[in-house]
Amino acid sequence: MLWPLLLLAAAALHPSWWLWLLIAFAVNHLLLAAAGCWPRCRWLGPNVTRLPAAAARRGEVAITFDDGPDPVLTPWVLDCLARHGAHATFFVRADRAAAAPELIREMLRLGHDVQNHSWRHGAAFALYGWRRLGRELQRSQEILGTVCGRPPSFFRAPAGVRSPLLEPRLAGAGLRLVSWTRRGFDTVDPDAPRVLRRLERHLAPGDILLLHDGRGRGCHGVPLRDVLPQLLARVAARGLMTVTLSAAWSPAKRDAAVSGKALRVRWAAAARHAMR
């Protein structure tokens, strides 16, 4: 960070300026803190909040899930997506993925996307230093790369909160930061109609929507069971198509999903229900 060094140099050259330089230093750090606490902000570097323009023109939206996989809730989510012929992107915790590798592989087999949501979703993630942040990303990429057969290409910060150190670390790991267009706040609000309204209000092609399939805190998936079927039905009623993030950025993956995977998803869901 060059800015603090420049302030120190200016203070050494002009001691009478120290008060104004101190104020500038404080304002600088307040702005950085505000930017880090604003998940959709781009002040700290590139931040994907919508699908590419080409995907929006095709009428595509992305439904994303954070904090999983969960051994109870995630299989239900997969069945619900299958019943609607929908595809989604799962930002998973690497420690939970390592504990449930078969569930992760089932996501991929059904045509969904698995991306990086950190190793353990640390509450102090935004306060990690350079080395710890690097270890966190390296470990999560290695775990998910082993489980999925390839490392993720997208990253979502825990709770969307980050520091100025994250972007250079992501660039070094070949990751792209993704936040969202709108979120349901389903981990803190148990009222399903309110959660649904937040997601569908002004819903438009190119939107990235955020829900949670991890039950580690808050409402433990209670509103999700009511919200997800209605959300998928309303997305379809508006003539929109759900895609994974990878498919939105890759025409080849999108075409494969359209041509065959929707049918295979329905068949897989039917087979799992028949076995119960």
Side-chain angles (χ1 to χ4, degrees), residues 43 76 90 195 203 222 251 254:
W43 293 354
W76 178 88
F90 293 83
V195 171
L203 179 65
V222 172
R254 184 191 74 251

Side-chain angles (χ1 to χ4, degrees), residues 11-230:
L13 292 172
H14 302 280
S16 61
W17 294 3
W18 70 269
L19 180 58
W20 295 108
L21 293 172
L22 182 62
I23 293 174
F25 183 81
V27 169
N28 172 68
H29 279 66
L30 285 174
L31 289 174
L32 288 176
C37 293
W38 181 11
R40 302 177 69 240
C41 178
R42 292 188 175 90
W43 293 354
L44 301 182
N47 186 4
V48 175
T49 60
R50 292 184 55 78
L51 299 181
R57 288 193 296 270
R58 294 190 296 264
E60 297 172 354
V61 296
I63 297 177
T64 65
F65 296 91
D66 283 8
D67 298 352
D70 178 85
V72 175
L73 191 54
T74 301
W76 178 88
V77 169
L78 293 176
D79 281 344
C80 184
L81 293 170
R83 288 194 299 271
H84 289 82
H87 294 86
T89 297
F90 293 83
F91 282 91
V92 302
R93 287 176 40 168
D95 62 336
R96 292 182 173 179
E102 291 305 318
L103 189 51
I104 296 295
R105 296 187 184 106
E106 177 75 351
M107 293 176 182
L108 295 172
R109 190 180 69 82
L110 294 174
H112 303 299
D113 225 359
V114 175
Q115 302 295 344
N116 192 336
H117 194 40
S118 80
W119 174 33
R120 291 193 300 185
H121 203 284
F125 178 84
L127 302 178
Y128 288 177
W130 180 256
R131 290 185 179 179
R132 185 173 181 182
L133 189 57
R135 290 195 300 268
E136 175 87 7
L137 292 176
Q138 180 180 3
R139 185 165 191 176
S140 57
Q141 283 291 91
E142 289 175 352
I143 292 173
L144 294 175
T146 299
V147 174
C148 299
R150 54 172 175 72
S153 53
F154 296 99
F155 180 85
R156 180 174 284 157
V161 181
R162 62 199 191 279
S163 77
L165 301 177
L166 181 59
E167 172 51 32
R169 276 303 194 186
L170 291 181
L175 287 164
R176 179 183 298 183
L177 180 68
V178 175
S179 54
W180 51 81
T181 311
R182 52 183 48 85
R183 63 189 301 184
F185 289 99
D186 53 311
T187 58
V188 295
D189 188 352
D191 188 276
R194 276 200 304 264
V195 171
L196 183 61
R197 281 197 300 271
R198 293 187 189 107
L199 293 167
E200 70 165 344
R201 185 185 298 128
H202 309 304
L203 179 65
D207 282 358
I208 299 174
L209 308 180
L210 169 60
L211 287 163
H212 297 77
D213 67 323
R215 299 189 304 158
R217 57 194 176 90
C219 300
H220 303 290
V222 172
L224 182 62
R225 293 180 182 271
D226 292 326
V227 168
L228 186 57
Q230 296 184 67

